Amino acid sequence: MKSNPAIQAAIDLTAGAAGGTACVLTGQPFDTMKVKMQTFPDLYRGLTDCCLKTYSQVVRKVVGLDNQAKLSDLQNAAAGSFASAFAALVLCPTELVKCRLQTMYEMESSGKIAASQNTVWSVVKEIFKTDGPLGFYHGLSSTLLREVPGYFLFFGGYELSRSFFASGKSKDELGPVPLMLSGGFGGICLWLAVYPVDCIKSRIQVLSMSGKQTGLVRTFLSIVKNEGITALYSGLKPTMIRAFPANAALFLAYEYSRKLMMSQFEAY
């Protein structure tokens, strides 16, 4: 079938532009190194050296290594809290699957659900089959209510603790013990504050497996009415035992790996 010459020309032009764009996007990094090595041959020992130095220049500009603005403890806490709101969108589905797998035996033995395969894939298929894509967001409101204030306290506690140990000096000079204590303190601040909300979230996500759909407020009132306020703190002990060493290790690994990578970039 013959097409209109004007349409054919437009198609060819568009296809050519698409091909040219793909070519430039693919080859641009190498062209940049070519021009750098052509114009400043004495600055680079070869292709690999030019590539690493160019990459470090880009990273410095993007993340601000050349002009590091130090955030206050409050700003760090607020930044962590803000970021957690977006993290909750990914965290909610994964925690839903995790909680259901962790309580599968109890749900089966209590007769709330029929016996089923205890695999990640089986749980994912069941959620999708029963509730569709939105089913993965059971407990999203309680997850947000936990994450946003919780991570404000988490990062706030960590930064305040680091400031305390630094005593006016640079917090970047702290050794492993103060970093571990600060990380552990941040973890304790997080869980002590939001543990009841986390308990409600777990109830919502697990009980929805049996078809029982309840919201945050209704679940909270039901727990308090039928089991008492202390039921909101069920499992607090293992959480506290885990919180300190886990978050101590987290921040120790973070700070030292960050220092190592920063020193590598500063070499270029």
Side-chain angles (χ1 to χ4, degrees):
M1 178 179 172
K2 275 192 167 184
S3 60
N4 185 293
I7 294 176
Q8 186 64 54
I11 291 173
D12 290 341
L13 182 63
T14 303
T21 300
C23 178
V24 171
L25 289 175
T26 305
Q28 182 65 19
F30 299 98
D31 186 65
T32 298
M33 288 183 282
K34 172 187 76 73
V35 173
K36 284 175 175 284
M37 294 175 71
Q38 284 176 334
T39 51
F40 297 98
D42 297 334
L43 291 180
Y44 304 105
R45 297 190 298 272
L47 176 63
T48 302
D49 182 55
C50 182
C51 179
L52 290 172
K53 287 181 178 178
T54 303
Y55 180 70
S56 69
Q57 292 162 12
V58 173
V59 171
R60 284 174 182 276
K61 191 167 291 185
V62 172
V63 302
L65 293 181
D66 290 328
N67 184 25
Q68 297 181 53
K70 295 291 184 181
L71 298 179
S72 68
D73 295 343
L74 181 62
Q75 288 172 323
N76 275 309
S81 177
F82 182 72
S84 71
F86 297 94
L89 297 175
V90 177
L91 191 63
C92 184
T94 56
E95 285 214 344
L96 175 67
V97 175
K98 174 188 75 73
C99 288
R100 290 191 175 186
L101 281 171
Q102 288 173 327
T103 59
M104 191 72 75
Y105 175 79
E106 287 79 6
M107 292 292 285
E108 290 176 359
S109 61
S110 64
K112 292 181 178 179
I113 62 168
S116 60
Q117 290 182 316
N118 297 341
T119 65
V120 172
W121 181 236
S122 67
V123 172
V124 170
K125 283 196 299 184
E126 183 61 29
I127 295 170
F128 193 83
K129 178 183 176 182
T130 306
D131 302 309
L134 292 180
F136 290 97
Y137 288 93
H138 285 307
L140 178 60
S141 57
S142 50
T143 301
L144 284 167
L145 189 59
R146 180 192 68 176
E147 296 293 292
V148 174
Y151 277 91
F152 180 88
L153 295 171
F154 180 56
F155 288 105
Y158 173 67
E159 293 296 341
L160 284 172
S161 183
R162 283 210 306 161
S163 295
F164 172 77
F165 285 117
S167 300
K169 299 177 183 177
S170 173
K171 291 190 286 188
D172 293 333
E173 298 174 5
L174 290 176
V177 174
L179 287 175
M180 292 175 71
L181 290 174
S182 298
F185 179 69
I188 295 295
C189 289
L190 163 67
W191 285 110
L192 280 179
V194 301
Y195 192 81
V197 180
D198 185 66
C199 180
I200 294 169
K201 178 201 71 70
S202 296
R203 292 282 188 105
I204 292 172
Q205 292 183 324
V206 171
L207 293 179
S208 62
M209 182 165 37
S210 62
K212 187 178 180 181
Q213 307 292 335
T214 55
L216 192 154
V217 176
R218 286 179 61 190
T219 302
F220 168 72
L221 293 174
S222 176
I223 293 172
V224 173
K225 180 182 177 181
N226 299 318
E227 303 170 54
I229 196 76
T230 55
L232 293 171
Y233 292 90
S234 299
L236 180 62
K237 187 181 293 185
T239 301
M240 289 294 102
I241 293 172
R242 179 197 67 176
F244 199 95
N247 290 290
L250 184 157
F251 279 108
L252 182 67
Y254 166 76
E255 293 292 351
Y256 273 87
S257 61
R258 179 176 174 273
K259 283 182 182 178
L260 178 63
M261 289 184 284
M262 293 277 283
S263 65
Q264 292 300 313
F265 279 119
E266 285 171 0
Y268 289 97

